[in-house]
Amino acid sequence: MESFISFTGQTKGRDKLFRTVQYGSILLRAMLGDTNSDVVSKMKKLESQVSMTRKLMRFGKSLDSLEAARRSYKLQDELLRVLLTASHANRSVFLLFDHLVWLGRVGILQTDIDTWNQLSLRFWFLSTTLGLLRDLYGIQKALEIKRDQLIYPNGVVNELQLEAKVRRESLKRILVENLPLCIDTSKNVCDIIVQMTRLKLIHVSDGWVGFCGVASSLLGAWVIADPTLKLVPS
């Protein structure tokens, strides 16, 4: 009970709960289809209301992303420094435009909501893509380390077969031993599917969008509940 209270006491924790509800309503709506129009209508309203609540909760978070970009700029690894700094910078712009969308929807500003919403989605997509590249870089670095640690039986003489075997076994060990990297990669893949669908770059059903959104939210909630699972640096 104390862990749950601590989790919900954090803004990030509450956001993940609301996000799970938001995408869960999309998933449920897709599963019901036209069988129960009343419930489907209620799910649409719930999704809309939760989305607006999350936008309000994120207000001001663009400054946090700028601070994260400043910290990332001090990393020693050059590629990590570029990827993470750019990712946080793009996330900051995404949140700034997201603030404008919220202000327009509540009537405080007269803005082209659809235009700002599309722009915010593009910067969110760029931020997540850079985050996924950071994950792939982490996997590659871990593969190089594991490759030198694996010992193979005598008799394997084909270099191509050896290299393929090394990569398969190394990747298995990385996924088992480096849970934070595995979680972050899975979360980013789920988010990119949602983003590309909303940007109309790919066509995915609402059911899959809802499933990916729920999966990403639960993975994010898991990391917040257990900070040892947070990928560092990120």
Side-chain angles (χ1 to χ4, degrees), residues 38-54:
D38 184 51
V39 174
V40 169
S41 177
K42 290 179 179 178
M43 289 298 101
K44 285 184 179 179
K45 290 179 181 178
L46 177 61
E47 176 198 345
S48 177
Q49 291 300 318
V50 172
S51 176
M52 287 294 290
T53 301
R54 291 185 61 232

Side-chain angles (χ1 to χ4, degrees), residues 49-155:
Q49 291 300 318
V50 172
S51 176
M52 287 294 290
T53 301
R54 291 185 61 232
K55 288 182 185 299
L56 176 59
M57 290 173 61
R58 290 198 298 259
F59 212 86
K61 286 290 183 180
S62 55
L63 297 177
D64 293 341
S65 294
L66 280 179
E67 174 59 22
R70 186 189 67 81
R71 292 195 304 269
S72 298
Y73 191 71
K74 298 179 181 179
L75 293 173
Q76 295 298 316
D77 188 299
E78 185 176 352
L79 186 54
L80 271 182
R81 181 169 67 247
V82 171
L83 290 175
L84 289 178
T85 301
S87 177
H88 290 305
N90 277 280
R91 180 170 176 78
S92 178
V93 178
F94 147 63
L95 289 169
L96 177 61
F97 290 166
D98 191 63
H99 300 341
L100 294 176
V101 172
W102 181 81
L103 290 171
R105 285 182 175 170
V106 297
I108 296 177
L109 288 180
Q110 294 296 322
T111 62
D112 187 340
I113 296 174
D114 291 337
T115 298
W116 288 116
N117 190 49
Q118 283 298 306
L119 283 172
S120 70
L121 283 173
R122 289 175 186 175
F123 280 99
W124 182 28
F125 172 65
L126 286 173
S127 175
T128 307
T129 301
L130 289 163
L132 182 58
L133 288 175
R134 179 261 180 272
D135 294 331
L136 295 177
Y137 176 64
I139 291 174
Q140 179 60 36
K141 295 286 285 186
L143 275 172
E144 292 174 0
I145 295 172
K146 286 295 179 185
R147 186 184 189 283
D148 298 332
Q149 296 175 351
L150 291 174
I151 301 175
Y152 294 94
N154 294 329

